[in-house]
């Protein structure tokens, strides 16, 4: 990675200019420009105050990535499509991080904001607190701007002498300027020359895929882009992959959003990454999710031509999960990747899918066992290969394939009861346990909540004497407090204001009937509800839970 520096006036000359090292452009994966007038003005104030404005990230490439121009004259009704540039395999530099800053500089120095150009108050610059404005900028109609407001681009791109500029400003003021005012103007003009024309204050890191094509592959650049933008809007690998797909399929965005809306209307969180990865598998391109696959002849065209059947298969399995299993929401589906082999069977062998047995149990066991955690592409490919050979689904064969990949499917008692508060799988367990609960209520703040039966605050207060120091220490650490057997699912009303809160089991269960205790598998021996019997309560409740989940726990 190369680190380069440049003056602001020079870097602005790179934007949309193919004669300057191919020019700087925006890849279509970049979100629209969102900065306000105030943010732009603060950026220019920061530059004159010689504050750092962070490093830019640029990708030099000849790849035919869809790109667009930087916007010079911004207004709220413009369409990004008006700024698209025809694809080509010429040298170009795509800005991966720094769009808002560069776009703001371009608008301020070369364009306008809603028809108004950037002006600076040439008499500003007095001391200000760090969060206050020191150098005043504003977007003003040129015809109505009067001294001390001056069009900023005229000061940055002028070749006139400072003495001439001060003289003209005095004429514009239509009065004699005081010595203090002249000193302030001269100081500001010197500062503008230094910060915008002389100092190489813009630093950018360059990923060079022309000189180093093996070092910065398209997949590498996708990962860099995602990491560089991780602090802002959530970005997926599909942002770049989908821009490739869009190049040949103009309605791709709309069709994808229609599918995601259908998939997610009942509380799930399917995303474009999942859909595109699944499409690759269904087209027998394998599970690894790589840019190169979308560049292979025929792949993008196949997704477009077969979209209706591909999306129908994805939706069919999503409907199966919601309707035929107890997995009701996103939290209860710790790995969406577990669905891909099932979608493959549904898509290629629809008759066998309709009569497939034990699919729900297979899904639950593999999810609880974490069979699709970590690097799961080999597991997915192996399952797909075996189901393709069988021309259908077989749970026992599926288990054998997963074990052959070195992944355990055994859910021992210790492993199961360790899936407590904060684990990725507790919501899946509770979806199985509490099928009558609404895990997808109309409002997010009405979601059922995982609650500690013995409140954490009460357990933390229990002390024992340390055998090493003789001092009192906490008896029940996180692992002991957060075990599954100390957790129950409560409705929002039960756990909200005036609800259970930090009530002890003795108080909370006092007036509860047997149906309530049976639902939550609470031992009916009231003596076990006392704080000093916590360990006995956990042992008895684990026995009751083990009976309920005997079909799942291996011992």
């Amino acid at each position: 990675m190369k680190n380069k520096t440049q003056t602001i006036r020079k870097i602005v000359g790179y934007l949309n200019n193919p004669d300057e090292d191919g020019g700087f452009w925006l890849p279509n994966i970049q979100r629209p420009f969102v900065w306000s007038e105030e943010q732009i003005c603060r950026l220019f104030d920061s530059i004159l105050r010689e504050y750092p404005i962070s490093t830019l990230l640029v990708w030099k490439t000849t790849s035919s990535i869809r790109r667009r121009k930087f916007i010079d004259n911004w207004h709220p009704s413009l369409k990004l499509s008006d700024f698209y540039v025809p694809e080509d395999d010429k040298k170009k530099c795509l800005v991966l991080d720094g769009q808002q800053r560069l776009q703001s500089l371009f608008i301020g120095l070369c364009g306008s904001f809603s028809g108004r150009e950037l002006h600076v108050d040439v008499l500003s610059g007095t001391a200000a607190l760090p969060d206050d404005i020191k150098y005043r900028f504003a977007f003003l109609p040129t015809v109505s701007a009067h001294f001390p407001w001056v069009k900023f681009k005229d000061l940055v791109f002028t070749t006139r002498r400072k003495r001439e500029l001060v003289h003209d400003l005095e004429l514009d003021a239509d009065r004699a300027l005081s010595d203090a005012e002249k000193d302030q103007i001269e100081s500001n003009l010197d500062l503008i020359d230094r910060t915008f024309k002389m100092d190489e204050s813009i630093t950018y890191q360059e990923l060079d895929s022309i000189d180093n094509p093996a070092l910065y592959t398209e997949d590498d650049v996708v990962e860099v882009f995602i990491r560089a933008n991780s602090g802002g809007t959530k970005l997926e690998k599909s942002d770049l992959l989908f821009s490739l797909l869009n190049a040949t399929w103009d309605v791709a965005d709309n069709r994808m959003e229609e599918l995601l809306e259908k998939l997610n209307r009942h509380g799930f969180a399917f995303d474009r990454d999942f859909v595109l990865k699944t499409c690759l598998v269904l087209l027998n391109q394998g599970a690894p999710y790589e840019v190169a696959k979308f560049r292979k002849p025929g792949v993008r065209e196949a997704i477009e031509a077969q979209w209706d059947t591909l999306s129908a298969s994805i939706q069919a399995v999503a409907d199966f999960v919601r309707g035929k299993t107890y997995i009701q929401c996103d939290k209860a589906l710790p790995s969406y990747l577990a669905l891909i082999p099932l979608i493959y069977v549904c898509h290629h062998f629809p008759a066998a899918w309709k009569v497939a047995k034990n699919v729900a149990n297979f899904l639950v066991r593999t999810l609880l066992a974490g069979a699709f955690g970590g690097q799961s592409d080999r597991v997915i490919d192996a399952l797909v290969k075996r189901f393709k050979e069988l021309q259908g689904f077989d749970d026992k064969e599926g288990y054998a394939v997963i074990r052959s990949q070195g992944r355990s499917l055994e859910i021992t008692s210790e492993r199961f009861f360790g899936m407590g508060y904060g684990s990725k799988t507790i919501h899946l367990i509770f979806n199985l346990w509490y099928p009558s609960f609404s895990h997808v209520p109309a409002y997010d703040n009405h979601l059922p909540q995982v609650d500690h039966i013995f409140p954490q605050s009460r357990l933390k207060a229990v002390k024992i004497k340390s055998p090493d120091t003789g001092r009192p220490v906490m008896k029940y650490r996180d692992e002991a407090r957060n075990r599954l057997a100390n957790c129950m699912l409560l409705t929002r009303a039960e756990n909200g204001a005036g609800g259970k809160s930090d009530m002890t089991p003795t108080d909370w269960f006092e007036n509860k009937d047997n149906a309530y205790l049976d639902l939550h598998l609470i031992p009916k021996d009231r003596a076990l509800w006392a704080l000093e019997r916590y360990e006995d309560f956990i042992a008895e409740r684990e026995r009751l839970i083990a009976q309920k989940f005997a079909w799942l726990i291996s011992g």
Side-chain angles (χ1 to χ4, degrees):
M1 183 182 297
K2 302 175 183 177
N3 288 319
K4 296 188 173 184
T5 58
Q6 194 52 269
T7 66
I8 293 176
R9 188 169 73 169
K10 183 67 173 179
I11 208 78
V12 168
Y14 288 178
L15 308 184
N16 302 347
N17 186 357
D19 294 330
E20 288 285 359
D21 205 26
F24 279 23
W25 315 85
L26 289 169
N28 279 1
I29 47 176
Q30 285 284 20
R31 302 298 195 247
F33 178 68
V34 295
W35 274 20
S36 64
E37 294 179 58
E38 180 186 359
Q39 287 174 293
I40 298 175
C41 292
R42 280 187 172 275
L43 173 66
F44 279 83
D45 172 60
S46 295
I47 294 171
L48 287 187
R49 295 170 80 163
E50 301 184 77
Y51 290 173
I53 58 172
S54 301
T55 302
L56 311 175
L57 182 63
V58 174
W59 175 28
K60 182 186 287 188
T61 180
T62 56
S63 295
S64 55
I65 300 292
R66 296 191 88 193
R67 68 189 194 276
R68 66 179 189 266
K69 298 178 181 178
F70 282 85
I71 300 166
D72 47 6
N73 297 303
W74 187 92
H75 55 86
S77 61
L78 60 77
K79 298 179 181 178
L80 290 184
S81 56
D82 293 337
F83 296 86
Y84 287 169
V85 177
E87 296 173 57
D88 59 48
D89 56 3
K90 297 178 182 178
K91 179 170 66 173
K92 62 190 75 70
C93 294
L94 301 177
V95 177
L96 302 181
D97 188 32
Q99 176 201 179
Q100 306 297 328
R101 284 162 283 160
L102 285 179
Q103 183 64 83
S104 296
L105 291 171
F106 198 49
I107 290 171
L109 296 176
C110 301
S112 61
F113 193 97
S114 295
R116 293 167 285 113
E117 294 180 283
L118 185 67
H119 288 67
V120 63
D121 177 353
V122 292
L123 294 179
S124 62
T126 54
L129 295 173
D131 292 333
D132 293 337
I133 296 298
K134 182 176 182 180
Y135 298 96
R136 297 175 62 210
F137 286 87
F139 285 94
L140 304 171
T142 301
V143 294
S144 60
H146 302 291
F147 183 86
W149 292 100
V150 181
K151 192 186 301 183
F152 191 63
K153 65 183 70 171
D154 289 347
L155 301 180
V156 173
F157 292 105
T158 186
T159 57
R160 302 177 67 202
R161 296 178 181 178
K162 180 171 59 176
R163 183 173 54 192
E164 295 174 3
L165 290 173
V166 174
H167 174 72
D168 288 349
L169 289 173
E170 190 167 31
L171 292 177
D172 290 340
D174 198 24
R175 64 175 175 81
L177 299 177
S178 67
D179 290 342
E181 287 176 323
K182 289 181 181 180
D183 287 344
Q184 185 65 54
I185 292 173
E186 290 182 6
S187 175
N188 286 344
L189 292 177
D190 286 340
L191 184 60
I192 291 170
D193 281 349
R194 185 169 73 252
T195 55
F196 281 83
K197 305 178 190 180
M198 300 167 61
D199 291 348
E200 293 185 340
S201 55
I202 289 282
T203 301
Y204 64 96
Q205 295 176 317
E206 183 182 82
L207 307 177
D208 191 343
S209 290
I210 297 177
D211 292 341
N212 298 294
L215 181 59
Y216 297 114
T217 66
E218 289 180 333
D219 283 294
D220 293 325
V221 172
V222 171
E223 182 63 28
V224 170
F225 177 75
I226 292 170
R227 294 188 184 195
N229 289 273
S230 61
T233 305
K234 181 177 181 290
L235 295 162
E236 292 98 13
K237 193 168 186 174
S238 62
D239 286 298
L240 180 55
L241 298 180
F242 207 64
S243 71
L244 301 178
L245 185 58
N246 258 327
T248 55
W249 185 13
D250 291 336
V251 298
D253 262 322
N254 292 335
R255 301 297 300 277
M256 176 66 80
E257 292 309 311
E258 288 172 2
L259 174 60
L260 292 177
E261 183 179 353
K262 292 177 182 177
L263 293 173
N264 295 330
R265 65 179 53 170
H266 298 298
F268 289 97
F270 290 91
D271 58 23
R272 290 194 305 187
D273 277 332
F274 174 83
V275 172
L276 291 180
K277 185 181 184 76
T278 302
C279 286
L280 290 177
V281 174
L282 298 186
L283 295 173
N284 292 302
Q285 297 297 318
Y289 193 34
E290 300 162 344
V291 175
K293 291 183 179 179
F294 286 84
R295 291 201 176 281
K296 288 176 63 175
V299 171
R300 286 179 285 176
E301 293 78 5
I303 293 176
E304 177 180 0
Q306 300 179 40
W307 178 257
D308 288 342
T309 56
L310 294 170
S311 59
S313 298
I314 295 171
Q315 189 171 343
V317 172
D319 290 343
F320 166 83
V321 170
R322 179 173 174 270
K324 301 295 184 180
T325 77
Y326 288 122
I327 300 174
Q328 297 185 39
C329 62
D330 169 64
K331 288 185 176 180
L333 192 55
S335 176
Y336 284 74
L337 299 180
L339 305 182
I340 294 180
L342 305 182
I343 297 171
Y344 188 90
V345 174
C346 176
H347 184 74
H348 289 280
F349 312 107
W353 171 255
K354 290 180 180 178
V355 297
K357 298 179 180 179
N358 301 322
V359 178
N361 283 2
F362 176 84
L363 188 57
V364 168
R365 181 173 290 278
T366 54
L367 288 171
L368 287 177
F372 293 88
Q375 300 298 319
S376 59
D377 287 344
R378 291 179 59 185
V379 176
I380 294 172
D381 283 340
L383 284 169
V384 165
K385 178 182 178 183
R386 185 56 181 146
F387 292 157
K388 185 177 181 180
E389 293 169 348
L390 297 171
Q391 297 191 10
F393 172 84
D394 184 290
D395 62 319
K396 292 183 175 58
E397 290 291 331
Y399 293 141
V401 167
I402 292 171
R403 290 189 177 100
S404 73
Q405 297 298 311
R407 306 209 170 197
S408 172
L409 288 167
E410 303 308 313
I411 303 175
T412 62
S413 293
E414 185 55 33
R415 185 176 185 182
F416 182 79
F417 288 114
M419 297 178 188
Y421 190 86
S423 73
K424 292 182 178 179
T425 50
I426 191 169
H427 285 280
L428 173 54
I429 294 172
F430 279 166
N431 271 222
L432 299 170
W433 185 335
Y434 299 92
S436 61
F437 270 52
S438 174
H439 295 268
V440 213
Y443 302 99
D444 286 345
N445 61 357
H446 289 176
L447 287 167
Q449 300 178 357
V450 179
D451 180 72
H452 288 85
I453 297 174
F454 283 78
Q456 293 230 55
S457 59
R458 305 275 184 163
L459 292 174
K460 288 179 179 179
V462 178
K463 307 292 184 180
I464 58 173
K465 184 179 292 186
S466 169
D468 298 324
T469 65
R471 296 178 179 178
V473 295
M474 190 184 302
K475 181 177 183 179
Y476 299 113
R477 300 288 180 179
D478 285 353
E479 183 179 353
R481 299 194 308 269
N482 292 331
R483 285 185 71 80
L484 178 63
N486 190 36
C487 296
M488 63 191 299
L489 200 65
L490 297 181
T491 64
R492 179 66 179 85
E494 287 180 302
N495 207 32
K500 181 176 180 295
S501 187
D502 64 347
M503 292 176 64
T504 64
T506 300
D507 294 332
W508 180 248
F509 296 133
E510 181 180 8
N511 298 316
K512 300 295 189 291
D513 58 22
N514 284 337
Y516 186 90
L517 299 178
D518 290 339
L519 171 65
H520 295 287
L521 301 179
I522 302 301
K524 293 176 182 175
D525 181 354
R526 291 173 175 264
L528 298 180
W529 301 351
L531 184 60
E532 59 270 18
R533 298 292 301 278
Y534 175 68
E535 293 170 47
D536 296 327
F537 174 91
I538 293 297
E540 178 59 17
R541 192 164 186 251
E542 285 186 353
R543 186 185 67 80
L544 297 174
I545 296 172
Q547 290 177 352
K548 182 179 182 68
F549 290 96
W551 59 276
L552 185 61
I553 301 174
S554 59

